[in-house]
Amino acid sequence: MAAVLRSVGVALLGAFAVPIAGITGIASVISLLVFIFSSEARSFGLFLFFLAAASTCYFALKTLQGIAKRGRLLVESINAKENLNLNPANMLGYPSPAFFVFDKNSRKLAICNSITGDYKLHGFNYVLQWYYEWGTGTRMDVGITGGAFIPGTNMREPTITHSEYKKNFTLVLEVADENNPFFKFPMQGESPAKRWCAKLNAIFNG
């Protein structure tokens, strides 16, 4: 139970670390530029904000590096023990501690947990297919032209339209397991989802 809780905790930490590192990295760069080039905005409070943003970004990056290192060490251990050539550069699921890793030459894959050190080996026939899916959201777009004229003026009413957009992209692996036939991996957008589909096609069919 403790191992499961640790795995879930690290998975959540890794999921939040990516956007946190990006946001705080941008914030630290902007605040530093303002501090250097704007004497009017220069203050001790701004300097403290820069330190806080930079420190948060540093610890988020260190967290991601730690998760990646633990995963690579587990993959190297499996390779040595099982005489395989699993590729740690393609860990499907990172930065989660639970991930898939593949050996194209031996046509083997491993399902790993870098927190517990557990893994399961399967042949490539374990994976039946892969694809990505997404949810949809609705946004409101406000235009300043195109509406009806406001009586007594030369101004037009704003136009309001609603449009759908894609969000919450997930890569799905369907596997030959009647008890757990789907593995789902959250993606950071459509481009990473497409890239992983292309990678899997190259790994399995290349």
Side-chain angles (χ1 to χ4, degrees):
M1 184 64 180
V4 173
L5 291 176
R6 278 192 297 137
S7 298
V8 172
V10 173
L12 290 173
L13 190 62
F16 284 112
V18 174
I20 288 175
I23 293 170
T24 55
I26 293 171
S28 61
V29 170
I30 292 174
S31 60
L32 180 61
L33 292 175
V34 171
F35 189 84
I36 293 173
F37 294 106
S38 176
S39 57
E40 295 180 357
R42 193 177 298 157
S43 65
F44 184 65
L46 180 62
F47 180 68
L48 288 179
F49 176 81
F50 162 74
L51 288 180
S55 299
T56 303
C57 181
Y58 172 79
F59 285 116
L61 291 174
K62 291 294 288 183
T63 297
L64 292 172
Q65 289 175 356
I67 295 173
K69 181 179 180 181
R70 189 187 290 265
R72 285 195 303 270
L73 290 175
L74 177 57
V75 172
E76 291 171 2
S77 173
I78 298 170
N79 282 339
K81 187 183 299 184
E82 305 288 348
N83 193 28
L84 294 173
N85 190 29
L86 300 165
N87 186 358
N90 289 326
M91 296 190 297
L92 176 57
Y94 171 80
S96 169
F99 58 88
F100 278 55
V101 66
F102 309 91
D103 180 347
K104 182 178 178 179
N105 295 328
S106 299
R107 300 191 65 80
K108 297 280 187 180
L109 64 88
I111 306 173
C112 308
N113 187 323
S114 61
I115 297 298
T116 63
D118 296 331
Y119 65 92
K120 290 182 179 180
L121 296 176
H122 296 278
F124 273 12
N125 58 351
Y126 179 69
V127 177
L128 303 178
Q129 65 174 330
W130 57 86
Y131 51 89
Y132 69 92
E133 58 187 19
W134 61 87
T136 57
T138 303
R139 61 171 167 248
M140 183 173 65
D141 302 313
V142 180
I144 58 174
T145 60
F149 281 103
I150 299 174
T153 72
N154 292 324
M155 299 175 60
R156 290 181 179 269
E157 296 177 347
T159 58
I160 299 176
T161 59
H162 294 85
S163 59
E164 287 191 347
Y165 65 95
K166 298 177 181 179
K167 63 176 184 177
N168 300 333
F169 289 90
T170 303
L171 183 72
V172 182
L173 291 188
E174 289 189 17
V175 299
D177 184 343
E178 63 182 20
N179 297 316
N180 188 22
F182 298 104
F183 286 91
K184 297 188 176 185
F185 304 91
M187 296 282 115
Q188 294 298 318
E190 188 169 15
S191 292
K194 286 182 175 179
R195 187 163 56 249
W196 259 112
C197 283
K199 278 187 178 184
L200 290 172
N201 186 54
I203 291 169
F204 282 83
N205 302 319

